[in-house]
Amino acid sequence: MDVLIGAYNYVQENSDRFWEALRVHMTISLSALLIATAICVPLGIICAKKMWLSGPVMATFNALRVIPSLAILVIILPIMGTGFAPALVALTLLACPPILVNTYLGFRSIDSFVLESASGMGMGPGRILRRIEFPLATPLMLTGLKTAVVEVVSSATLAAFIGGGGLGTFIINGLGMYNFSLLLVGAIPVATLAILSEIGFALIERKTTKFQRI
C-alpha cells in the first residue's frame, strides 16, 4: 500500500513530467499505429488479390513477428541513433505484422461466389471493394488492429531505452533506483491504456459484427 501511496504522491508532485510522458507515450503509439495501418491495409489487400506477391511479403512480415520488441529497438539503434524517430520506426515495424496478416486473411476468406454474384449484378471492382469486401473483411481487420494496439502500447515502454521518452522512462528509472513507487508511476498507466484499448476495440468489433450474429 505504501508503494501505491508513494506513486500517487510522486504524480502529484511531478504532474507536469507525468503528463508530458503520457502525452509522448500516446503520441508515439498512435503515430506508429496510423503509419502501420496506412501501409499494411492497402498492402494486405494487394497481397490478397495478387497471389505471386503474397508469398514473399507475408513471409517477410511473419518473420518480423518472431523478433522480440527489444531486439527490434536494438537493431534500429545503430542505424538511426536515439530519440523519438527510431522508436517510432521500431514500433511501426512491430505493429505491421498483425495488421497486414489479418487484412490479408480477411480479404482471402471472402467466398468467391459472393464476389461473382456482385459482379453479375453489375458492380464494378471499386464498388465491390467498398460495399462487399471491406464490410466482410472488417471483423478480422479489427482483430489485427486490436492486437497491434495492445502490442504497441505495451512495447512503447521500451522506447525509453533509446531515448524515445514516454512512460517507460519511469519504469526504467524505477528499476535502476530500486524504487517501486516510481516504477508503478509508469507501469499502472501503461497497463490501463492496454486494457482500455482491448475493451474499446472489443466493443467496436462487437458493434461492427452485429449483423453476423443476427
Side-chain angles (χ1 to χ4, degrees):
M1 193 64 184
D2 289 342
V3 175
L4 287 173
I5 293 173
Y8 177 76
N9 289 336
Y10 181 89
V11 173
Q12 291 290 97
E13 294 166 4
N14 302 274
S15 57
D16 291 346
R17 191 180 171 201
F18 173 77
W19 289 114
E20 174 62 17
L22 181 62
R23 185 192 66 76
V24 171
H25 195 96
M26 293 185 71
T27 300
I28 196 170
S29 300
L30 188 60
S31 300
L33 287 166
L34 289 175
I35 294 171
T37 302
I39 294 171
C40 293
V41 168
L43 187 58
I45 295 171
I46 293 171
C47 286
K49 295 179 180 298
K50 308 288 185 185
M51 291 307 296
W52 60 269
L53 186 63
S54 65
V57 172
M58 300 306 292
T60 301
F61 279 87
N62 273 323
L64 284 176
R65 302 184 79 166
V66 302
I67 302 176
S69 312
L70 187 57
I72 293 178
L73 288 169
V74 171
I75 292 169
I76 293 291
L77 184 61
I79 301 171
M80 297 186 66
T82 60
F84 184 90
L88 178 62
V89 171
L91 290 174
T92 302
L93 288 174
L94 188 67
C96 280
I99 297 173
L100 176 69
V101 171
N102 280 56
T103 301
Y104 170 79
L105 292 176
F107 277 79
R108 288 295 299 168
S109 63
I110 298 172
D111 196 329
S112 59
F113 176 75
V114 175
L115 302 180
E116 289 170 7
S117 299
S119 181
M121 293 171 65
M123 296 175 73
R127 197 175 174 197
I128 291 175
L129 181 68
R130 292 192 306 273
R131 303 292 295 274
I132 305 293
E133 293 179 290
F134 254 113
L136 291 175
T138 294
L140 271 174
M141 291 169 66
L142 285 175
T143 301
L145 276 172
K146 182 173 65 177
T147 304
V149 167
V150 175
E151 284 185 5
V152 167
V153 168
S154 304
S155 299
T157 55
L158 300 176
F161 279 110
I162 58 173
L167 294 168
T169 306
F170 297 119
I171 297 174
I172 292 171
N173 290 341
L175 286 171
M177 299 164 64
Y178 208 64
N179 183 337
F180 292 109
S181 294
L182 185 57
L183 190 152
L184 290 181
V185 170
I188 291 176
V190 170
T192 304
L193 284 173
I195 292 170
L196 289 177
S197 302
E198 174 82 20
I199 294 173
F201 268 91
L203 291 174
I204 294 171
E205 195 175 357
R206 183 177 175 79
K207 189 171 183 179
T208 55
T209 58
K210 185 178 178 181
F211 69 95
Q212 294 179 339
R213 300 195 302 275
I214 295 176

